[in-house]
Amino acid sequence: MPTLALPWNACRAAEIARAACSGREYVRCARWKCGISRAGLTCALCREGRFRGAPESPAAGARAPSRPPPCRRCRDKRAQTVAVLRGMAGLPPGDASVVTDRFPDAASSPAVLASKSLPAAPAPVRALPPGTRTPRLAVVVPCRNEVGADRQGRYLLRETFRTVRETSAGYDMPDLWLIDDASDKVLPALEERGEPAPVRVVRNAAPLGVDGSRNLGARLAFAAGAEVVGILDGHMRVETHHTRQPILGGVQRLAQLAVETRGIVVARCGHLEMDVLHDHYPLCGGEFARITGPRQSLGMAWKHINPPRGTHRINGLLGASYFFAREVWERLGGFVACCKVWGFSEEGMALKAAFLNVPIHVCCDVTLTHWFRPTGPHPYVVDGYQKWCNRARVLTVTFEPETFERFWLPRLRRSDWNERYRAEVRAPEVLAEGAAFRRRKIRSDAEVLRDLFGVEGT
């Protein structure tokens, strides 16, 4: 009986079929409606290697279809995404698609990643001509307890720095900074002897949170002579999403754009945790959700750009890779410093940019893949109270007090509201940071509410 290599989470319990999307092989199993085991579980038949209905291999020389129709999983996810985006744009529900994505043709990239192992040495692609001179760049990676590994057993934190070094060969090598936010686990070694760019490690005596660690790293990097700072997560790679090709000069191109656009530059984001060469949709930048009801509060979603090529103006930050020139960072004053732990860092920075007329662009020609954890971005629990507090803090800092009290606070009130919530937004450090930022604002609350959230007449 023939055997087929399957995605890591596929259950081979019943019938093997070839999905329409990208020629991906998956299994229809009675236990999983979508056809894929959500938890990577295997049943007795799978463990014994018993399965039936294996498809025949395509005949030699047969021409693959250029764009096969999507599978049900893709179609359902696309429909949900379109519905959300139509709502964000203030459009009525409808069947007309507002988003289209360009996927690689079947002839230009492998249809199926046949095993857990990625291709040994995929040919790199270039974002810049070899030897192009670019601004002095520092890559800052804040982390806490970043000890996870990919499916090949490689530490994600080490891989983040390795891929930045390797894709910088032949270009201006960036300075590398790790901000260890008081980890209570031993982090993996980040380099071997003779590495072209050693990592400067700074350990916080006590946890500062995501925003505090990002601000500290950027401040140290600029003081050391950097012209541009790129802030990454500790579980990323500079590579294409579909074919896992290294992007030579990728971070240098983002640094170049940060200077050229005089704003914030975000890279295209891809799924690092996926073992199959299949993308449900490109993750390109961010966009604030429109406020359409009295209970709706501050939120952000992925911004889909068509076509997914070139550099495009957006109003939000998502993607875990953010590049700032020195003058832009100083103008913004960094991320909202009074936030704690994790949550609403990107929303706070994007609100600052909106009030100060700092543009945000997404570069869809440079992808940084990101490991998306199923339970959140951190290997520790961040409860709803802390996330609520961060949302309230960024709104308190960026909007006028009367706007916060009249417009945002009613949307933030919870069923278990008590004075501890009020105390969070009246903390001295929150009030001081808000007063300092509001003195530098260029645009009014009404303008930002209208442009970002579609709210008129406030």
Side-chain angles (χ1 to χ4, degrees), residues 83-95:
V84 170
L85 289 178
R86 290 186 69 85
M88 290 171 57
L91 300 175
D95 296 330

Side-chain angles (χ1 to χ4, degrees), residues 217-229:
R219 185 166 64 250
L220 293 173
F222 282 126
E227 299 172 86
V228 177
V229 162

Side-chain angles (χ1 to χ4, degrees), residues 222 227 258-259 261-265 323-334 349 353 356 358-359 440:
F222 282 126
E227 299 172 86
V259 173
T261 62
R262 297 183 178 181
I264 308 171
V265 173
F323 287 71
F324 307 80
R326 179 194 295 270
E327 61 176 319
V328 173
W329 180 267
E330 292 176 349
R331 184 178 171 192
L332 290 164
M349 177 59 84
L356 296 175
V358 173
R440 299 185 287 113

